[in-house]
Amino acid sequence: AHARMLARQEIIAESEAETIIEGLKSIYEEIEQGKFKFKTELEDIHMNIEARLFEKIGDVAGKLHTARSRNDQIALDMRLFVKEEILKTIDKIKALQSSLVELAEANKSVVMPGYTHLQQAQPVLLAHHLLAYFEMFQRDKERFHDCLKRTDVMPLGSGALAGVPYPVDRDLVARELGFSKVSANSLDAVSDRDFVIEYAAVAAIIMMHLSRLSEELILWSSSEFGFIEIGEAFTTGSSIMPQKKNPDVAELARGKTGRVYGNLMGIITTMKSLPLAYNRDMQEDKEGFFGTVDTLHSSLEVFAGMIKTIKVNTGRISQAMKTDYILATDLADYLVKKGVPFREAHGVVAKLSKYAASKGKNFRELG
């Protein structure tokens, strides 16, 4: 794209651009086929490709770097990569949401205890509970869409920091590379990693949501609850206790949340004290980011599959509904509808709950 623009602007000859482009295409094929030989002494990906281009087409290869710096080139590459990963992430969130909707649809008449403080509170539909997570992931999806807007900015043409002294057409390159806008300030463009931090921050939030869902599934699959059974492909047995069926996948996702948090803190700490413009510290933006993408994507994929294997134990859920004073609020509301002030009704039912508990009975057994 850069070479074509240089030729269009008559900064290099059309024939030179065509030679460069053909050379780059052949190098791309070598990389795709695993035949490209990377050399550590050439320092980075850019110099490896440039050196190979010299080997293929000769001195004209040196004209490719006209009106370009590694600083704006790597800023461009990172933005292209993050844009691709955001779209992949959104698709994986959609797949997980679909799994939740399917499980909710299959159990839409199941009533379960709703909890606050992990104490039974009021009856809710299991589908309603599951779709609470749908809403969380919907917000995460919206955050990634917002992140995409700020990532979709083309920095090429910023040079090392002060722009380039050539009549470049940045809009032409932006259109060819699929960017909706070009950066306004060259100093900011080469030193900005906000879009990396923003992806990492949204990833941390969605991993927090996955971790909360993990905790619920772990509790619900325990013998104390017994509300659900997770498919064997997503659980493991104990090395010495044959009866165990451990929810290891949910536990691993819960644990990997800390890794994603750590990657966010790593990049935001790296950037906190950097003066303008580019600094070599910024190479630290990649390892943690790649790790975050891999962890998030694998977690979303595994969860989408795991949700599809869940079987709901309606008998255990119904039994749990009978063991506590879960209809206390409904009794208070009943009295309110009979004209009793809510605070008074609340006090009456509180006394009734204490009386029933002292007798070792639930509401159904009183009378």
Side-chain angles (χ1 to χ4, degrees):
H2 182 70
R4 275 193 282 268
M5 181 275 295
L6 292 176
R8 178 80 66 87
Q9 297 299 106
E10 299 183 349
I11 297 170
I12 65 174
E14 187 72 38
S15 60
E16 292 172 328
E18 290 176 0
T19 301
I20 289 170
I21 290 168
E22 288 305 311
L24 289 172
K25 286 181 178 178
S26 66
I27 291 171
Y28 174 79
E29 290 175 2
E30 289 178 358
I31 294 173
E32 286 292 290
Q33 295 168 5
K35 296 178 180 179
F36 190 91
K37 295 181 180 179
F38 289 97
K39 301 175 182 178
T40 55
E41 63 268 21
L42 290 176
E43 186 177 345
D44 58 28
I45 182 70
H46 314 292
M47 297 310 296
N48 267 272
I49 290 176
E50 186 172 306
R52 182 61 175 144
L53 192 61
F54 269 100
E55 292 174 358
K56 282 181 170 290
I57 67 174
D59 289 344
V60 70
K63 294 197 173 186
L64 175 61
H65 205 55
T66 306
R68 195 180 71 181
S69 165
R70 278 189 297 183
N71 292 0
D72 61 355
Q73 186 179 350
I74 192 58
L76 171 74
D77 292 346
M78 282 298 287
R79 285 181 180 272
L80 284 169
F81 180 76
V82 175
K83 281 178 64 178
E84 288 181 4
E85 297 309 311
I86 288 173
L87 295 175
K88 292 177 186 176
T89 305
I90 289 171
D91 284 342
K92 293 180 190 302
I93 295 172
K94 288 179 180 177
L96 175 55
Q97 287 179 302
S98 294
S99 294
L100 287 168
V101 170
E102 289 172 14
L103 184 60
E105 179 69 24
N107 296 277
K108 60 184 179 182
S109 63
V110 177
V111 180
M112 66 171 288
Y115 294 85
T116 63
H117 309 279
L118 208 55
Q119 306 292 320
Q120 287 195 6
Q122 290 180 272
V124 296
L125 289 171
L126 172 61
H128 193 59
H129 192 121
L130 292 170
L131 294 180
Y133 286 96
F134 180 99
E135 296 298 329
M136 294 182 202
F137 296 132
Q138 186 69 15
R139 292 194 296 272
D140 295 326
K141 200 165 58 178
E142 292 169 2
R143 290 184 188 100
F144 276 120
H145 278 296
D146 288 342
C147 180
L148 182 60
K149 294 176 187 175
R150 285 178 284 278
T151 306
D152 192 22
V153 180
M154 207 278 295
L156 206 62
S158 299
L161 75 161
V164 293
Y166 301 92
V168 295
D169 187 340
R170 301 181 68 207
D171 291 317
L172 174 66
V173 179
R175 286 195 299 273
E176 184 159 347
L177 294 177
F179 284 94
S180 63
K181 65 180 79 171
V182 298
S183 57
N185 185 290
S186 60
L187 281 166
D188 175 59
V190 297
S191 62
D192 171 33
R193 293 298 183 270
D194 287 3
F195 60 99
V196 174
I197 294 170
E198 189 169 356
Y199 183 104
V202 180
I205 294 172
I206 194 169
M207 286 300 295
M208 176 266 290
H209 291 154
L210 285 173
S211 185
R212 294 183 70 181
L213 179 53
S214 295
E215 181 68 12
E216 302 242 52
L217 297 180
I218 291 165
L219 287 170
W220 289 356
S221 64
S222 68
S223 57
E224 284 74 14
F225 280 76
F227 289 179
I228 63 169
E229 182 179 343
I230 300 172
E232 290 188 2
F234 299 91
T235 59
T236 60
S238 166
S239 60
I240 63 170
M241 293 169 283
Q243 84 282 9
K244 294 290 291 298
K245 190 176 180 182
N246 300 322
D248 281 7
V249 168
E251 291 176 0
L252 286 168
R254 187 175 59 183
K256 287 182 180 294
T257 300
R259 180 181 302 201
V260 174
Y261 286 3
N263 291 336
L264 170 60
M265 293 310 300
I267 180 59
I268 205 167
T269 303
T270 295
M271 295 298 298
K272 75 175 181 63
S273 59
L274 296 186
L276 294 173
Y278 182 80
N279 296 272
R280 186 57 69 92
D281 315 47
M282 291 168 66
Q283 284 195 342
E284 292 298 313
D285 65 345
K286 295 167 193 64
E287 184 178 3
F289 180 76
F290 297 155
T292 287
V293 170
D294 290 344
T295 300
L296 178 57
H297 284 186
S298 61
S299 298
L300 289 169
E301 288 171 8
V302 167
F303 256 82
M306 179 171 62
I307 295 296
K308 291 178 181 294
T309 73
I310 289 177
K311 295 179 180 178
V312 177
N313 188 342
T314 55
R316 282 294 295 270
I317 293 177
S318 296
Q319 189 63 35
M321 293 285 291
K322 300 175 183 177
T323 59
D324 208 335
Y325 307 108
I326 198 165
L327 294 176
T329 304
D330 297 83
L331 287 176
D333 288 333
Y334 171 80
L335 293 175
V336 169
K337 290 177 181 178
K338 294 295 184 179
V340 180
F342 180 79
R343 284 300 173 197
E344 184 179 339
H346 183 282
V348 168
V349 177
K351 292 177 181 177
L352 181 64
S353 299
K354 290 179 182 178
Y355 174 77
S358 70
K359 299 297 183 181
K361 295 181 179 181
N362 57 41
F363 288 153
R364 293 172 182 267
E365 295 169 332
L366 292 177

